[in-house]
Amino acid sequence: MTTRPVRGVEIAEVDEAAVASYLAATPEFFDRHAQLLARIRLPDARGGGSTISLLERQAEVLRERNRQLERKVSDFVEVARENDALGTRVLAMARRLIAAGGRAARIAAIEAALREDFGAGQSVLVLTGAHAPVGVPESRFLRVVPAEAQELRSFETLFASGKPRCGQLRDSQREFLFGADAGTIGSVALVPIGGKAGYGLLACGSPDSQRFNPTMSTDFLAHIGDLIAAALSGD
């Protein structure tokens, strides 16, 4: 056994793991030696070379845990508020579509809802020829392409999954969807329309590269896709 000086007192060196195991297994130790709680000094985590008591360190640990819990609760509340707002917008879109008479009016209602309620002004609805509304001309919002169009093949993964996805696109995909505006698009939300994208797809673009990021939930995008598919399936 060796010794080392601590504050001028020679003490035997003890294995730290053994000390930790002993204290963990003997919680009544500080009941028998309560005076140690006030005497033990620990380095202050804030630095500066100062020390604080064990009780002060424990209080600081508890305060930090409380701060972490408060941040988590705040995050949960913020997510709940965002989901509630999104739910309200999806409901408003459904009301627009119910009130619209005929496919032409529904196409206009879809575009208006995306632009006014969701702030997605850079949106494109791509429909295959078989599902294009008769008598509705193509526009900046509405594109009609043959189901076998080469440009659609680059979205086969999206179509196969039948689920929305968010993120960035290849240059050729952005140019196909957004044309002259492709260079301003930083991120995109893609929504397949109809079973296995039988109708086509909706693309919502944003200049913000993080507006539509791969980690975001796509549940509400799927609801929007279902609403559009239902609206286009009617007479």
Side-chain angles (χ1 to χ4, degrees), residues 52-148:
I52 58 175
S53 70
L54 180 62
L55 295 177
E56 289 174 318
R57 170 64 67 83
Q58 183 64 21
E60 179 58 33
V61 169
L62 293 175
R63 282 194 293 268
E64 179 57 29
R65 288 179 181 175
N66 284 337
R67 286 192 288 267
Q68 292 176 355
L69 289 173
E70 287 174 357
R71 286 193 291 268
K72 287 182 179 180
V73 170
S74 178
D75 290 343
F76 288 149
V77 170
E78 183 61 27
V79 169
R81 287 174 177 168
E82 291 177 357
N83 287 342
D84 184 60
L86 285 171
T88 299
R89 293 168 189 163
V90 172
L91 178 59
M93 184 178 192
R95 288 171 174 164
R96 283 179 185 262
L97 293 174
I98 291 172
R103 286 192 174 186
R106 291 172 198 155
I107 292 293
I110 293 168
E111 189 278 332
L114 292 171
R115 174 169 42 83
E116 298 173 9
D117 299 334
F118 292 93
Q122 292 177 297
S123 298
V124 181
L125 179 62
V126 179
L127 300 179
T128 56
H131 298 285
V134 178
V136 181
E138 292 189 53
S139 62
R140 182 177 178 277
F141 174 68
L142 176 63
R143 298 272 303 282
V144 179
V145 299
E148 65 277 8

Side-chain angles (χ1 to χ4, degrees), residues 121-192:
Q122 292 177 297
S123 298
V124 181
L125 179 62
V126 179
L127 300 179
T128 56
H131 298 285
V134 178
V136 181
E138 292 189 53
S139 62
R140 182 177 178 277
F141 174 68
L142 176 63
R143 298 272 303 282
V144 179
V145 299
E148 65 277 8
Q150 180 67 32
E151 294 88 347
L152 289 181
R153 293 183 182 178
S154 64
F155 299 98
E156 286 181 348
T157 302
L158 173 77
F159 295 157
S161 72
K163 298 178 180 179
R165 71 177 180 84
C166 299
Q168 299 182 352
L169 301 180
R170 296 195 294 272
D171 291 345
S172 59
Q173 292 175 318
R174 285 203 318 274
E175 290 168 3
F176 165 64
L177 293 171
F178 301 101
D181 295 328
T184 68
I185 302 300
S187 60
V188 179
L190 295 176
V191 185

